[in-house]
Amino acid sequence: MIAETGHFALVLALVIALVQGILPLIGAQRGHQPWVALAAPAAGAQFVFVAIAFSCLTVGYLTSDFSIVNVAENSHSAKPLLYKISGVWGNHEGSLLLWILILALFGAMVALFGRNLPPDLRARVLAIQGLIGVGFLLFILFTSNPFGRLDPPPLDGQGLNPLLQDPGLAFHPPFLYLGYVGLSVSFSFAIAALIEGRIDPAWARWVRPWTLVAWCFLTGGIALGSWWAYYELGWGGWWFWDPVENASFMPWLVATALLHSAIVVEKRDALKSWTILLAIIAFSFSLLGTFLVRSGVLNSVHAFATDPSRGIFVLIFLFLVTGGALALYAFRAPTMQAGGLFAPISREGGLVLNNLLLTTAAATVLLGTLYPLFLDALSGEKVSVGPPYFNATFIPLMTPLILLMAVGPLLTWKRADAGAALARLKAALVAAAVIAGIAWWLLADGPVLALLGMALFAWLAVGVLVELAERLRLFRVPFRDSWRRARLQPRAAYGMTIAHLGMAFIILGITASETWQSESLTVMRPGESVELGGYSFTFDGARSARGPNYDTIEGDFIVRKDSRLVARMKAETRTFSNPPMQTTEAAIRPTAFADLYVVIGEPDGRGGYATRIYYKPLVSWIWFGALVMMLGGFVSLSDRRLRIGAPRQRQAVAGAVPAE
């Protein structure tokens, strides 16, 4: 009965989504207020019924109801509770239901927190959300029903992919979907504005917090996926330019550009066309990622290799949504007023350059991701586009962007003096030269790009602090005045500072870990040692053990530095039977300066075991930097101006620099 209840709830949600997507749109166009007023309660009702359906599927997993096809194919009675829950979205049908749940959640949140929006605009936004929901509900009901029945049911299920039985993968998809699907709100605001024919600073103020929420969660989702790949796959890497990784990275790049573009619309009533186009492209990339994961065209550890007919449905939906949006944009864009004028050297000019670099970077990633697919489809030739291509195209685009991140916030609106801004960054320039010099002196064999990376880290980190000091007039006025200015600065200004500082930490972690890591791949016997990174790793033997639903080989390693015990590390190789698969569990000892990373493999039959040992300097700073960036986004989101869509009335601080 639980499956039938969930299925019926999805059917009702589809009916409500049709009402939400059609009647408010007509009502707003014709000025029929009763139909306009339907939008908010319909959005709330759709969320309720989708939540009922999702709860029904979750109950099926928790109770191991193997009469449900989805549960039988992706769960097992011996699975730990956490993985029974995460198994709900660890498959095509369940993850699609999670997508629809989050889509309905965002619609309900717009209905609840968008009461200060003009009624017609809110109705149009919710109607667009409803139409997107119609597409996905049709998809799940007609091609991917999660509530299909088995008769007779099997005695036990087939189990979840062991690679997905990990805490990182339990939280990675929900965070990623909150980012992916959250961009639908920005898209809906953009389409509603095009239909209405009005794009102004108030519209930008309304769209920014929704974009910021999506950006924060997308940042967290990408970071969680990277962290999972680092410690679970046993390769010692944190990013592989996998096509599905790229599918989440492209909307992040465009969403970052969208956030900065919306600032210019809000502050200067300019870049309206840019902002609308970025909102369309960002959500289109999210739909593209959905197609890549669900079409079966990719062979990836992240992908759901499913019936290609499902991919055709998503591809048609992608063309309808993106094509329709771009057609409306082409029709309306010429009527948009240009807004405020500005000189090339200005904060607006810096943000335009920022957007050009980010969108070009997204385009290069798109080309490297899709080129092998197109070539295979047209000629049958198999090629692989890997890190050499992405590093050769992405790094040259990111270098000027990082330089600009320190300079841009010091520029004034409308017209700026670049020389004056650079003069205030003397400390950053000196820090960049000193850090690069120290890196070259300590590690003379390091490549030039590594020195550039260290210089960029110092340039951005010190530049961010210099900009903050300029805001507070630190050391230029009495400390009491600086403290008063600090208390009166908008939170969005602090959010920008924190997020940019987080990017500096990521640059530091990437540069150090990719350039100066050392590794040892060898067969070790008990008592043998390997010297790496100034540490001695002694293999203390291995033993067999039994886990909740797997067999494991546990290898013990003793780590010393200068004869001093540092850590005892335990690496595992797990063998699952349902479904049959072998996974590695790396032993990782993180420190502020380096990670010690150990993996144990198969025995050689003569008392030895294959081992992989890595010394990875500063690699943890990559994920620390991502957390700092997320924190910056949430600090900005706490700014009252973004939460209520109206500036707070308070005494202005003389000479304060406007916040991003």
Side-chain angles (χ1 to χ4, degrees):
M1 188 64 185
I2 193 75
E4 288 70 27
T5 301
H7 189 265
F8 186 59
L10 284 180
V11 173
L12 291 178
L14 173 61
V15 174
I16 294 169
L18 283 167
V19 172
Q20 177 186 337
I22 296 173
L23 296 185
L25 208 56
I26 298 173
Q29 194 67 26
R30 296 183 176 180
H32 190 58
Q33 292 308 308
W35 284 9
V36 169
L38 277 175
Q46 183 192 163
F47 170 68
V48 169
F49 283 108
V50 174
I52 290 172
F54 189 83
S55 300
C56 289
L57 186 60
T58 303
V59 169
Y61 271 85
L62 292 176
T63 59
S64 295
D65 184 353
F66 299 122
S67 69
I68 301 174
V69 176
N70 185 263
V71 178
E73 291 180 348
N74 299 284
S75 190
H76 190 274
S77 58
K79 269 200 321 184
L81 178 62
L82 174 63
Y83 304 132
K84 286 187 177 182
I85 297 173
S86 63
V88 176
W89 54 80
N91 59 88
H92 167 73
E93 293 83 1
S95 68
L96 185 59
L97 185 56
L98 176 65
W99 175 289
I100 296 170
L101 176 68
I102 294 175
L103 181 67
L105 172 63
F106 272 103
M109 289 174 62
V110 172
L112 180 62
F113 298 111
R115 296 172 183 170
N116 58 323
L117 295 171
D120 286 355
L121 177 62
R122 183 171 73 152
R124 289 188 172 101
V125 170
L126 290 174
I128 302 303
Q129 286 288 113
L131 292 175
I132 297 170
V134 168
F136 277 98
L137 285 164
L138 287 173
F139 182 31
I140 196 170
L141 285 170
F142 288 99
T143 72
S144 310
N145 181 14
F147 297 107
R149 285 287 197 179
L150 276 176
D151 188 22
L155 294 177
D156 216 330
Q158 298 177 19
L160 179 67
N161 184 337
L163 285 175
L164 305 181
Q165 295 186 39
D166 181 86
L169 260 292
F171 301 104
H172 164 59
F175 270 76
L176 202 60
Y177 284 8
L178 283 166
Y180 265 162
V181 184
L183 291 173
S184 68
V185 180
S186 305
F187 174 85
S188 297
F189 267 96
I191 301 303
L194 288 174
I195 294 173
E196 199 169 85
R198 190 182 71 179
I199 302 160
D200 54 21
W203 173 87
R205 180 69 60 82
W206 291 319
V207 81
R208 271 184 68 195
W210 298 104
T211 307
L212 195 54
V213 167
W215 180 87
C216 287
F217 282 111
L218 192 53
T219 302
I222 293 171
L224 277 171
S226 168
W227 179 57
W228 167 79
Y230 172 68
Y231 73 80
E232 176 67 21
L233 299 183
W235 302 337
W238 53 272
W239 190 263
F240 306 99
W241 292 108
D242 180 281
V244 179
E245 291 176 334
N246 297 346
S248 63
F249 191 43
M250 289 184 290
W252 184 88
L253 290 169
V254 180
T256 304
L258 173 59
L259 276 175
H260 291 83
S261 188
I263 293 168
V264 183
V265 179
E266 179 186 345
K267 300 292 185 182
R268 295 283 300 136
D269 196 23
L271 300 190
K272 299 175 184 178
S273 184
W274 248 109
T275 306
I276 293 292
L277 183 60
L278 288 171
I280 293 172
I281 294 174
F283 184 59
S284 298
F285 273 146
S286 294
L287 293 179
L288 176 63
T290 304
F291 165 72
L292 292 175
V293 171
R294 301 172 192 286
S295 62
V297 301
L298 292 180
N299 200 7
S300 166
V301 69
H302 306 79
F304 299 108
T306 59
D307 182 355
S309 63
R310 295 171 174 175
I312 293 173
F313 188 106
V314 178
L315 190 60
I316 293 172
F317 185 63
L318 171 63
F319 279 132
L320 288 175
V321 172
T322 305
L326 291 177
L328 179 61
Y329 171 79
F331 178 72
R332 285 290 198 179
T335 66
M336 297 181 196
Q337 296 181 354
L341 300 177
F342 54 89
I345 305 299
S346 62
R347 183 175 291 200
E348 297 97 323
L351 291 172
V352 169
L353 181 56
N354 167 85
N355 289 354
L356 286 171
L357 291 169
L358 284 170
T359 50
T360 304
T364 62
V365 176
L366 178 66
L367 177 63
T369 303
L370 296 186
Y371 175 74
L373 303 180
F374 285 131
L375 189 64
D376 184 20
L378 295 175
S379 66
E381 184 180 351
K382 303 287 186 181
V383 298
S384 176
V385 177
Y389 162 81
F390 291 105
N391 292 339
T393 56
F394 195 75
I395 293 175
L397 290 169
M398 290 298 101
T399 299
L401 180 65
I402 301 305
L403 295 173
L404 184 63
M405 286 176 67
V407 179
L410 291 170
L411 299 176
T412 56
W413 295 106
K414 195 172 182 180
R415 183 181 299 276
D417 184 348
L422 290 172
R424 286 181 281 179
L425 288 170
K426 289 179 181 177
L429 185 61
V430 170
V434 169
I435 293 296
I438 292 174
W440 177 80
W441 179 62
L442 292 177
L443 300 154
D445 58 342
V448 173
L449 281 180
L451 303 182
L452 174 63
M454 297 302 289
L456 288 175
F457 151 70
W459 165 265
L460 181 56
V462 177
V464 165
L465 298 178
V466 166
E467 190 272 338
L468 178 61
E470 287 288 328
R471 285 183 181 276
L472 307 183
R473 299 180 67 84
L474 203 60
F475 310 123
R476 296 165 60 186
V477 298
F479 179 77
R480 181 178 58 185
D481 292 342
S482 293
W483 176 248
R484 183 174 65 88
R485 293 174 66 85
R487 288 187 291 109
L488 295 178
Q489 286 290 315
R491 292 181 187 175
Y494 287 117
M496 176 198 71
T497 299
I498 294 170
H500 286 187
L501 198 59
M503 177 56 73
F505 294 150
I506 290 176
I507 295 169
L508 174 64
I510 291 174
T511 302
S513 63
E514 291 298 301
T515 305
W516 295 300
Q517 77 166 8
S518 50
E519 60 182 315
S520 169
L521 283 73
T522 186
V523 174
M524 298 181 69
R525 292 174 174 79
E528 293 184 347
S529 298
V530 168
E531 301 291 330
L532 206 65
Y535 291 87
S536 173
F537 296 81
T538 302
F539 181 40
D540 199 33
R543 61 186 179 276
S544 299
R546 177 70 184 167
N549 59 334
Y550 57 83
D551 295 313
T552 181
I553 296 175
E554 299 176 347
D556 294 318
F557 294 81
I558 300 173
V559 185
R560 293 184 175 87
K561 187 177 180 66
D562 300 329
S563 300
R564 176 177 56 86
L565 179 65
V566 173
R568 292 182 178 272
M569 303 176 67
K570 183 177 72 174
E572 296 182 55
T573 295
R574 295 176 177 177
T575 302
F576 293 79
S577 56
N578 288 299
M581 183 178 286
Q582 194 172 80
T583 66
T584 60
E585 295 293 321
I588 303 174
R589 169 81 173 188
T591 70
F593 299 103
D595 274 16
L596 311 179
Y597 188 106
V598 179
V599 176
I600 188 168
E602 293 291 329
D604 66 352
R606 293 173 293 179
Y609 288 82
T611 62
R612 294 196 299 275
I613 303 175
Y614 299 90
Y615 173 78
K616 305 184 74 66
L618 302 178
V619 67
S620 295
W621 286 73
I622 296 173
W623 301 291
F624 175 69
L627 288 175
V628 172
M629 289 183 73
M630 278 187 70
L631 175 62
F634 284 119
V635 169
S636 292
L637 195 63
S638 71
D639 194 316
R640 184 173 183 268
R641 299 173 308 154
L642 297 184
R643 285 186 286 113
I644 67 172
R648 186 175 182 176
Q649 299 297 323
R650 62 188 181 192
Q651 183 179 358
V653 182
V657 181
E660 276 202 315

